[in-house]
Each structure stands twice: as structure tokens, then as C-alpha cells.
Amino acid sequence: MGQHQTVATTFSSAVREEVAVSLAGVDAELARRYPGDPGTRQPVHTVYVPADVFAADTVRSWGDRALAALDEHARDAAAFGAVLGLPAGLAGPVHERVRAKLEREPVEDLRIDFEDGYGARPDAEEDAAAVRAAHLVARAYEDGTAAPYMGIRMKCLEAAVRDRGVRTLDIFLTGLMEAGGLPRGLVLTLPKVTYAEQVAAMARLAEEFEKARGLETGRIRFEIQIETTQAILGADGRATVARMIDAAGGRATALHYGTFDYSAACGVGAAQQAPDHPAADHAKAVMQVAAAGTGVRLSDGSTNVLPVGPTARVHDAWRLHHRLVRRALDRAYYQGWDMHPGHLPTRYAAVYAFYREGLGRAAERLAAYVRRAEGDVLDEPATARALSGFLLRGLDCGALDSAEVTGPTGLTRADLDRLAGRAV
């Protein structure tokens, strides 16, 4: 016992080395294409604001308007919980955290929209709006009023609007550089992508800007918005979205589903266009598989039912939005779009309830895995990654506190990052 014993083998060292050499290319390809989780925070939503509406106080204004909606239509935890069907024991903590979130950080990700939400304007007007957007974003990061992530959605690279989109992107990025540099939370969105070549062109623009401004290669990255059927299935019958991720050359950060453009392209009637339509589920399932392991995140789309008007109508819209967000979370779509301040209470309520409901069981299973203890579920490393990722997302958005996670698991944030396979 304790001494190394010689065991009989058949394969020679030469055979093992030949196998290793034969798979070296595959090893490199796997590492390049599937680096895993990037280890950064993923926002729970993206708020879209037309460029002509965006202002220095937009983030705070959205929070204040969301709080006002709560005060008017659900004044306390019991009322809010009753509207959404939250269990009594959950309504209080969720309501408290939602209000605190709206006061502290009402918007996690904000996109200044130069596309559908802005429309076609005279060139001089859009030029001025792009300059103004860059100035306001730079100032927000400087004075601490920025959302954690901010940027623009440019016009797409289709021929009719290509020059305008590229010019707005150039003006915005140049304005940020002139104001002191690109902020860490910068996010750019490329909409209405139909061919991988458009993604490659966007990557080329990013590379050229980096070269011209002396930035490190890969500094500028972007989201790909999936709004056309061609982005899911090409004319040759092959799935397209994976080719788009590849064409980005490592610059793609996320795939965002566009509810209404994609639904319309599929022939779905206006009344049936929604994130839970079967056509939407198919598109997002393809996106999810294409993005898996690549480090590219996935975002659901939006609902166009706004919580405005009489209380009964607001409650109906809240219940719909809450249900859609929770449905997305159950399907591992951890981000979505919010189009109105009134959507913020139900966005955070659904997200917080999701993580708080799952906290106990996730912590128990992860603690058992770390201790290699026996339980009623035998978990593997892949499940440990998922459990750790669940807890990390809950911490990032404010649904959970560090003490609530460390207490039952005995794990620090660094421990969770390691188990989740995040680069730290």
C-alpha cells in the first residue's frame, strides 16, 4: 500500500503521441470556438431609448417613474404580490429588493437607439444626435450616473442605410475617444443581420477604428440582433447564426432576439407577435445552441404591451410581462428587453423571485457536491457549473446577498467563479 505498482498496458507511447498530434488541431479549435463563460456580469435586461429622447437623467428618470407606478398601482408588498401571484413569504423580500433596486440601479443596460426607435432623419440631425449621445454617455460614466452597460444601436448594414449606420457609429465612438476614451461598459448593437458577411463587415469596422485610434485589438465588441429569418436558416438550408458568431472573429458578445421583426418575417399576425410564440421559441432555441460554450450571451426580446392607463390595465400588463420574464428565465434566457419604465418593477420582481425561490435547493446541492456528500440527486461537474452560475447571476443583479450564499454553501465569490468555469 502506498507504493506505485506497475500495471500492464498495451498502447505504446508512440501511439499515444500520434493520437495527441492528430487531435492537436481539434484541441486548438475547441479552445478558440468554445472558450466558455466570459466571467463578466450579464445584465438582466436592455432598455431601449430613442436617441432624440435620451437625456442625462434618463436612467434616474426611469427609476423614478417605475417607483411612481408602484406607488400608484401597488402601494405595498401585499398588493404587489397579489397582482403577480407571489407566495406570501416571497412577496415581502421581493418587493423590498425591487424598490431598493429602482432607487439604486434602475437600469442595468441602456441602448441609445438610432434604428427603429429613431427612424430616418436628416443627416445633420442624426450627426448632432450621435455627438450628443457620445457626450452624455461619457459624462454619465465620469460622474457615476451611468448604467453599468451603455451604448448605441446603429442602423443596420443593409445597402439603403449602411452609410448612415457606419457614420453614426464613427461619430459616436470618435466622440467617446475625444471625451477620454471608450468606457468599460460600452456595448454596441448591430441590428437586422441577414448574412454572416455583414457581421464580418462590422468586425472590420471595429478593427479599423482600433488601428486608427491606437486601441488594443478586440477592444470593440458588439451584439448581433437576430430579427430576420435568414439569420436562423440560410437559403442553403443550413443554420446561419453559428456562422455569424464565427464571422465576428471573437468580437460578438451577445445574440438578441427581435420579437416583432422576426415574427413579422415569419408571417405571424400582429396580434400573435410575442416572445412566447412558437416561431420565437424555435429561433431562440437555435440561437441558444449556436451560442452554447462560445461565451456569447443570449437575450430574449420584448413585449409591446405597456403598463399604462387605469390600474386594472396596468395590472394586466404587469402580469403578462412577469409571466413572460419568468418563462424566459426557466428556458435559460437570462436577459430581455424592456421598453417602458413600467416594465422595470415586473422585470426585477420576476428575476428576484426566480433566484430567491431557487436559492435553498441550489445552495444545498452545491454544498453537497463540494463535500462529495450523498443526497437525493447525484450531481456532476456540469451541474455544479450550472448551480454556481445560478448563484452568481443572483448575486450580480441584487436578488441575493453574499451572506445568503456563503452561509449555506461555505463558498466565496471566487469559489463560485471557479466552479462556474469563469475566467477570474
Side-chain angles (χ1 to χ4, degrees):
M1 294 296 292
Q3 295 181 350
H4 180 71
Q5 295 182 353
T6 301
V7 295
T9 61
T10 300
F11 296 130
S12 68
S13 60
V15 169
R16 295 195 300 271
E17 290 170 4
E18 288 171 4
V19 168
V21 169
S22 72
L23 293 177
V26 170
D27 294 340
E29 186 76 348
L30 284 170
R32 182 182 72 83
R33 289 183 181 272
Y34 302 103
D37 192 288
T40 55
R41 172 186 179 182
Q42 181 181 12
V44 302
H45 69 171
T46 300
V47 162
Y48 276 74
V49 179
D52 57 325
V53 175
F54 177 65
D57 66 344
T58 292
V59 172
R60 185 61 266 151
S61 173
W62 272 58
D64 291 342
R65 291 168 65 186
L67 286 166
L70 274 177
D71 289 339
E72 180 177 357
H73 301 294
R75 295 191 62 86
D76 55 32
F80 192 48
V83 172
L84 303 181
L86 298 176
L90 195 60
V94 166
H95 181 263
E96 179 183 355
R97 287 171 183 270
V98 167
R99 291 196 66 94
K101 180 73 168 182
L102 295 175
E103 292 167 355
R104 181 186 74 254
E105 188 185 72
V107 175
E108 293 196 359
D109 183 27
L110 188 146
R111 205 70 70 252
I112 305 164
D113 191 15
F114 285 90
E115 205 231 356
D116 285 347
Y118 183 73
R121 308 289 181 99
D123 282 341
E125 183 177 343
E126 184 159 339
D127 282 356
V131 170
R132 176 174 168 273
H135 170 73
L136 291 176
V137 169
R139 192 172 74 185
Y141 277 104
E142 183 179 343
D143 64 22
T145 61
Y149 299 94
M150 296 181 75
I152 66 167
R153 177 170 72 166
M154 59 191 276
K155 288 178 171 63
C156 71
L157 292 181
E158 293 177 352
V161 294
R162 182 183 303 141
D163 288 346
R164 181 64 261 179
V166 172
R167 181 172 174 82
T168 296
L169 174 67
D170 189 359
I171 292 171
F172 179 70
L173 292 177
T174 299
L176 290 176
M177 291 298 297
E178 295 297 316
L182 304 184
R184 285 178 59 94
L186 174 67
V187 187
L188 305 171
T189 304
L190 177 65
K192 292 184 174 60
V193 179
T194 53
Y195 281 81
E197 287 81 358
Q198 293 166 327
V199 176
M202 182 67 173
R204 167 75 185 279
L205 292 170
E207 181 182 17
E208 292 298 328
F209 191 91
E210 290 164 352
K211 289 179 180 178
R213 287 286 176 166
L215 298 172
E216 63 179 303
T217 301
R219 172 65 182 84
I220 299 174
R221 306 179 72 194
F222 56 91
E223 302 168 337
I224 302 169
Q225 199 156 9
I226 306 299
E227 303 176 90
T228 69
T229 55
Q230 294 91 343
I232 295 297
L233 190 69
D236 58 1
R238 296 166 62 188
T240 318
V241 66
R243 296 165 63 186
M244 293 180 176
I245 293 174
D246 190 52
R251 295 180 184 272
T253 59
L255 304 173
H256 283 233
Y257 176 69
T259 303
F260 304 103
D261 283 285
Y262 187 87
S263 297
C266 288
V268 178
Q272 288 74 44
Q273 292 175 2
D276 58 350
H277 190 277
D281 283 341
H282 171 259
K284 286 179 285 190
V286 174
M287 292 162 61
Q288 190 172 47
V289 174
T294 65
V296 176
R297 264 73 181 264
L298 184 68
S299 175
D300 199 357
S302 64
T303 174
N304 60 357
V305 179
L306 304 183
V308 297
T311 293
R313 187 178 301 168
V314 170
H315 285 181
D316 286 344
W318 272 354
R319 279 188 285 267
L320 172 64
H321 186 239
H322 183 267
R323 179 181 65 78
L324 289 172
V325 175
R326 181 55 188 256
R327 182 181 188 272
L329 291 168
D330 287 337
R331 287 157 175 76
Y333 311 143
Y334 299 117
Q335 185 175 352
W337 296 8
D338 288 327
M339 310 302 287
H340 188 274
H343 285 143
L344 299 186
T346 39
R347 168 68 61 182
Y348 291 123
V351 169
Y352 288 3
F354 176 74
Y355 289 112
R356 296 196 68 78
E357 285 176 348
L359 169 61
R361 187 59 173 149
E364 177 186 354
R365 289 177 64 180
L366 192 57
Y369 172 84
V370 171
R371 297 194 311 268
R372 297 296 192 269
E374 294 184 3
D376 58 350
V377 179
L378 182 61
D379 287 323
E380 298 184 353
T383 305
R385 287 197 297 273
L387 292 167
S388 300
F390 175 89
L391 296 175
L392 286 166
R393 286 189 295 272
L395 289 168
D396 285 342
C397 70
L400 309 175
D401 295 332
S402 296
E404 291 180 308
V405 173
T406 301
T409 64
L411 300 172
T412 65
R413 172 79 191 220
D415 294 330
L416 292 173
D417 281 328
R418 177 179 52 80
L419 287 168
R422 290 189 173 188
V424 293

